Amino acid sequence: MAIGSGLGAQLGISAETTYGTFVAPSKFIEFTKESLVLKKTTAQSAGIAAGRLLPLSSRRVLTRREVSGSIDLEVTNKSMGFLLQALMGTSVTPAQQAATAAYLQTHTLADTAGKSLTIQKGVPLTTGTVTDKTFLGCKITSAEFSCEVGGMLTGSFEFDGKDCDETQTLAAASYANMSPFHFGQMAVKTGSFGAETALDGIRKVSCKIERPQEVERFYAGQSGLKKEPISNDQVKITGNLESDYVATTLDDLHTSDAATSLVWEFVGPLIAATHFETFRVVLPAIRLDEGPPVVDGFGVVKPTFNFTGLYDGTNPVKIEYMSTDTAL
């Protein structure tokens, strides 16, 4: 029996081969909060019947089903591949580095067609019995990463899904020995692409990647369930850099509206040879929208520069993830 509270909860995840078709979980992720739920649409008859003062129960119908919600977690040194692939869109096979235990995943920005997940949630009753809720056809619609002084790198993933199946067998959770990336491993670099240099004074960074999709693909003949969402707008990348005003680098970029490449990276312990646990976001072109420094008291000036990620015409946006995972 599990503990009859959130202490006994679990989340298992797997990549689907076909949108909305169950695949048993192959990874179990440690999370801090989730809100995945079934959303249903019903219709109630308004038919008039002599003397009936209350709508008839048998004349209420369930017309459609879908899933929505989010997962908040700490970004760890293992088991992040499925989520990153579903966010970024490229099919990734981890590349072994030389003959070491280090494997590099390079998630470049691409269309997310065919990139859906099965997410199985175990929710404990107070008795310790864990109930199964398996969410099918989960597509990531946005993800936001954030890290500040003294904190861990966190991720918040928003999902749209096809259906909730409560008839599957709850998988037995097993966890890799995972460690979170954190502020002590963080560096922020700007400059020409491929030759970025470290910025001083950065206290907090956040970056949000939005994948707009047509999620209202409900058609006749689909039993009230949707077909796979389709990208229906350009990707939106935004973020902010909170800093102490130790240099004019970002201020000058705001004034000139010039583009710069941004590398936001976390480099953890050595895996082998020259290969370290790594989480790295590479934005080849950003422009600063707001945040020129202002003096609002006696303290250190602390501007927050908001940025928009754009395409430089040559180099792709990407997330690099180095771990010991031999497969996603």
Side-chain angles (χ1 to χ4, degrees), residues 14-26:
S14 58
E16 295 178 345
T17 303
T18 303
Y19 174 72
T21 300
F22 173 76
V23 177
S26 58

Side-chain angles (χ1 to χ4, degrees), residues 11-14 24-29 78-79 82 174 325-328:
L11 277 180
I13 189 170
S14 58
S26 58
K27 296 279 187 180
F28 293 87
I29 55 177
K78 296 178 184 177
S79 301
F82 283 144
S174 62
D325 290 338
T326 59
L328 296 192

Side-chain angles (χ1 to χ4, degrees), residues 58-77:
S58 62
R59 293 180 68 84
R60 170 169 155 150
V61 292
L62 178 60
T63 60
R64 79 179 203 182
R65 295 161 60 93
E66 59 187 313
V67 169
S68 69
S70 64
I71 297 174
D72 294 354
L73 47 74
E74 296 154 359
V75 178
T76 58
N77 63 344

Side-chain angles (χ1 to χ4, degrees), residues 161-184:
K162 180 177 182 179
D163 197 13
C164 178
D165 180 359
E166 298 185 1
T167 67
Q168 299 296 334
T169 300
L170 186 69
S174 62
Y175 299 92
N177 185 16
M178 294 178 280
S179 300
F181 292 101
H182 59 83
F183 181 79

Side-chain angles (χ1 to χ4, degrees), residues 92-141:
V92 172
T93 299
Q96 186 177 19
Q97 304 300 288
T100 71
Y103 287 78
L104 175 63
Q105 300 176 26
T106 303
H107 298 269
T108 55
L109 193 65
D111 186 26
T112 59
K115 299 298 184 295
S116 61
L117 303 170
T118 292
I119 301 176
Q120 187 179 65
K121 177 170 71 170
V123 184
L125 298 171
T126 56
T127 59
T129 299
V130 182
T131 64
D132 160 63
K133 294 185 181 295
T134 299
F135 301 99
L136 306 174
C138 294
K139 303 272 291 185
I140 294 177
T141 56

Side-chain angles (χ1 to χ4, degrees), residues 216-232:
E216 290 291 322
R217 298 189 66 211
F218 292 93
Y219 306 141
Q222 301 297 316
S223 301
L225 302 176
K226 70 176 67 178
K227 285 202 166 186
E228 182 177 0
I230 297 172
S231 297
N232 64 352

